[in-house]
Amino acid sequence: SASTPEDAATLVTMHCRAFVARNGATCDANLYKLSGRDLVRVNRTAGSARKAFNRTRKQDAPAVEATRTVERIMAKQPTFCPNVASRRWRRKLDLAPGQRTYSAFISVPLCDANGTVVGMLSLNSSKRGVLTSLHQEYLEAVGRIYVAWNT
């Protein structure tokens, strides 16, 4: 049972991780709430998950990536990236260069009953080609349940 929003977010992300783990991938799922211009992680995590996506005017690659992530979520646009190593996807999503602990990801906006963006649910996979539109649909459904439960 989840008694706090952090407990609920942790429970939600554990279920998302288990859903993908069946495909033999190591996964990480994280839930972020919108706080001003930033997305701030709510769930507890054992990994090296990003604590926040900050919307900023800085132009270094990690800052641009974080800003674009917040902008896509605020525009209610889910993001599916099947291969973070691909130049095509790096260019399309403004991903910063460099090594990552994951090979693919999906992020979906979380919206309240009025359609206002309140956060983001993301899922990262250690393997390319494991995440599908079914995983995106699952994240969107779980996100709706989480928001309804916490409002």
Side-chain angles (χ1 to χ4, degrees), residues 1 7 26 33 39 44 69 78 81 85 91 97 114 121 139 150:
S1 138
D7 291 341
T26 302
K33 70 176 180 176
L39 289 163
R44 290 183 300 279
T69 299
C81 180
R91 201 170 27 254
N114 298 321
L121 183 57
L139 284 183
N150 285 287

Side-chain angles (χ1 to χ4, degrees), residues 50-112:
R50 187 185 282 240
K51 290 183 179 166
F53 288 86
N54 302 307
R55 202 162 148 198
T56 179
R57 294 182 193 269
K58 292 180 183 175
Q59 290 301 305
D60 60 281
V64 170
E65 177 178 339
T67 297
R68 295 297 180 265
T69 299
V70 175
E71 289 171 349
R72 282 191 298 272
I73 293 301
M74 302 265 310
K76 302 178 186 176
Q77 298 172 345
T79 303
F80 176 67
C81 180
N83 182 0
V84 297
S86 159
R87 265 187 234 203
R88 173 179 164 237
W89 287 103
R90 282 185 183 270
R91 201 170 27 254
K92 180 177 180 177
L93 299 173
D94 285 320
L95 300 179
Q99 293 289 58
R100 296 172 187 262
T101 57
Y102 56 92
S103 296
F105 73 89
I106 298 171
S107 59
V108 298
L110 301 178
C111 298
D112 66 14

